[in-house]
């Protein structure tokens, strides 16, 4: 099945945001028809970026693209401050050289190379992990972070039929129109009832296939002395209380009473609110091999993950003082282990929660 131009561009924007975060830059998507897709916080101000997505970029194709850009570029300050970034599955050496020689252009080669040169901005990172396309195509039920967040919200609130589009939009930090499109897509795939309630466990199973947090093994755990990491509320909250770090995986499962045995020195699996904080944490806490890790760190796939954290009073894990993620997030983490994790899920219904798996 061919990928539509819209899907290719949406996925390219997601990949660029991921790559920018890993390079230590703060960037956010731009909604609407402004002509820009992303805005980067540069050293001397904001830089708008227009994404040009393609599968394979050779010299001829990139030359035609940059020529078109030169012919259509206006003389206003807005057009001068907007960069164009080619995001491609692969770029030839000739194409990369052409882009580096073109004023106001940059590239992301999904095989692991990011190059940007803009107002006060110079990035040349060839050490990124490969960034494969995440969407299966134009007919997939879940698109990007917004689609994932909408599905997660519905599973967290399975009894809230006809949830307000605006309420969901606020929770997942998206525009109401984008949320409306995501809900329509889920309905089209028979994953949401006509009254707005999620189809369970169908929606959970679908979302678990898109749940792929990229974890980094850390040399040490964070402490309250690491005040610049956005830990949030001193690691102790009573109910949802804004964004902050939260523990998922096996440690959170034990805290929520899942039938799993976890030692008190087990490395916690942290979710971090943003790519920027993750990059800062990796530099500050250090990296390790997976076997020697003190913890793992992953950026939250949706703001809901780190925005609904709770302190859990647990007899199974009384030593766990960090807030835990919502039980649905724990279940999605466990579901990635098709043997042990699925067995644990089959025997677990969290107290005070509705089972959606």
């Amino acid at each position: 099945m061919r990928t539509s131009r819209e899907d290719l561009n949406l996925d390219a924007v997601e990949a660029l945001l991921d790559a920018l975060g890993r390079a230590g830059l703060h960037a956010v998507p731009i909604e609407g028809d402004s002509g820009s897709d992303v805005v980067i916080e540069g050293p001397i101000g904001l830089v708008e970026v227009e994404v040009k997505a393609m599968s394979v970029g050779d010299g001829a194709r990139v030359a035609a693209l940059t020529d078109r850009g030169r012919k259509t570029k206006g003389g206003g300050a807005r057009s001068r401050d907007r960069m164009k970034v080619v995001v491609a599955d692969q770029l030839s050496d000739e194409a990369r050289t052409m882009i580096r020689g073109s004023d106001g252009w940059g590239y992301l080669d999904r095989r692991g190379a990011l190059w940007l040169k803009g107002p006060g901005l110079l990035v040349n990172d060839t050490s990124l992990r490969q960034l494969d396309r995440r969407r299966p195509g134009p007919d997939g039920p879940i698109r990007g972070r917004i689609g994932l967040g909408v599905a997660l919200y519905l599973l967290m609130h399975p009894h809230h039929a006809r949830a307000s589009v605006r309420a969901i939009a606020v929770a997942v930090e998206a525009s109401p129109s984008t949320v409306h499109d995501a809900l329509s897509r889920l309905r089209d795939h028979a994953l949401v009832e006509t009254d707005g309630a999620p189809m369970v466990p169908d929606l959970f199973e679908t979302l678990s296939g898109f749940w792929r947090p990229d974890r980094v093994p850390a040399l040490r755990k964070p402490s309250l002395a690491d005040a610049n990491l956005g830990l949030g509320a001193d690691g102790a909250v009573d109910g949802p209380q804004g964004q902050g770090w939260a523990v998922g995986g096996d440690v959170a499962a034990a805290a929520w009473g899942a039938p799993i045995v976890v030692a008190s020195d087990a490395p916690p699996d942290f979710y971090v609110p943003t790519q920027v904080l993750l990059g800062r944490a990796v530099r500050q806490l250090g990296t390790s091999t997976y076997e020697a890790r003190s913890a793992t760190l992953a950026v939250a796939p949706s703001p809901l993950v780190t925005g609904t954290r709770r302190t859990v009073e647990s007899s199974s894990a009384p030593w766990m003082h960090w807030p835990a993620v919502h039980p649905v997030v724990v279940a999605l983490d466990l579901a990635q282990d098709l043997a042990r994790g699925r067995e644990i899920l089959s025997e677990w219904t969290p107290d005070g929660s509705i089972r959606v798996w």
Side-chain angles (χ1 to χ4, degrees):
M1 181 180 292
R2 292 179 61 84
T3 302
S4 71
R5 170 56 54 183
E6 180 187 2
D7 278 279
L8 189 64
N9 191 72
L10 284 170
D11 196 78
V13 170
E14 291 282 340
L16 181 60
L17 288 168
D18 192 345
L20 290 169
R22 291 176 182 281
L25 293 169
H26 183 213
V28 294
I30 297 176
E31 299 285 348
D33 300 320
S34 67
S36 299
D37 301 292
V38 171
V39 63
I40 304 172
E41 262 185 41
I44 62 172
L46 301 179
V47 180
E48 292 189 14
V49 173
E50 180 183 354
V51 171
K52 300 291 186 180
M54 61 179 65
S55 53
V56 178
D58 57 17
R61 191 171 182 190
V62 166
L65 191 64
T66 54
D67 280 347
R68 252 191 334 267
R70 279 192 290 269
K71 290 174 183 176
T72 58
K73 185 174 181 180
R78 183 176 177 81
S79 62
R80 285 197 302 271
D81 290 341
R82 178 187 294 157
M83 290 188 63
K84 293 182 173 66
V85 175
V86 176
V87 176
D89 294 343
Q90 55 183 295
L91 287 167
S92 68
D93 290 341
E94 182 185 12
R96 291 192 192 192
T97 300
M98 283 183 176
I99 293 172
R100 287 197 294 267
S102 299
D103 184 40
W105 285 79
Y107 64 75
L108 171 62
D109 186 325
R110 288 177 181 270
R111 293 174 297 178
L114 175 68
W115 190 89
L116 301 174
K117 187 177 181 181
L121 193 64
L122 179 60
V123 179
N124 184 16
D125 192 339
T126 59
S127 62
L128 297 171
R129 68 170 176 83
Q130 183 165 316
L131 294 160
D132 296 324
R133 295 191 202 177
R134 297 177 183 174
R135 296 178 184 83
D139 296 324
I142 293 175
R143 285 188 182 181
R145 292 175 301 168
I146 305 306
L148 182 148
V150 170
L152 181 58
Y153 182 95
L154 295 176
L155 290 170
M156 286 180 171
H157 305 86
H159 55 292
H160 287 184
R162 299 192 184 280
S164 161
V165 169
R166 189 165 297 278
I168 300 175
V170 169
V172 303
E173 298 182 7
S175 67
S177 62
T178 308
V179 169
H180 180 271
D181 291 344
L183 286 168
S184 296
R185 186 168 290 270
L186 292 174
R187 288 192 185 95
D188 290 344
H189 285 79
L191 295 172
V192 174
E193 300 274 12
T194 55
D195 66 356
M199 293 282 289
V200 295
D202 305 64
L203 182 56
F204 178 88
E205 293 298 334
T206 299
L207 181 54
S208 69
F210 288 82
W211 196 260
R212 296 288 184 270
D214 185 17
R215 296 207 162 272
V216 180
L219 186 62
R220 71 172 177 87
K221 298 175 187 176
S223 71
L224 298 183
D226 297 307
N228 65 329
L229 296 185
L231 301 176
D234 294 336
V237 296
D238 182 16
Q241 200 175 76
Q243 291 288 335
W245 288 39
V247 173
D250 289 358
V251 172
W256 278 112
I260 181 174
V261 177
V262 176
S264 61
D265 60 350
D269 296 317
F270 286 103
Y271 281 106
V272 182
T274 67
Q275 286 279 6
V276 172
L277 288 176
L278 177 66
R280 191 179 299 164
V282 167
R283 292 189 294 272
Q284 195 158 311
L285 303 180
T287 57
S288 167
T289 63
Y290 190 78
E291 291 73 19
R293 72 196 186 282
S294 294
T296 69
L297 316 175
V299 68
S302 166
L304 280 172
V305 174
T306 46
T308 57
R309 61 208 182 100
R310 291 179 179 272
T311 295
V312 181
E313 297 294 334
S314 170
S315 58
S316 302
W319 36 265
M320 214 282 275
H321 66 279
W322 292 95
V325 295
H326 190 281
V328 172
V329 177
V330 175
L332 289 164
D333 286 346
L334 292 174
Q336 304 312 302
D337 185 334
L338 298 181
R340 186 185 65 105
R342 291 288 178 164
E343 182 180 352
I344 294 169
L345 286 178
S346 69
E347 301 173 2
W348 178 46
T349 300
D351 290 341
S353 297
I354 299 175
R355 180 189 175 102
V356 294
W357 51 85

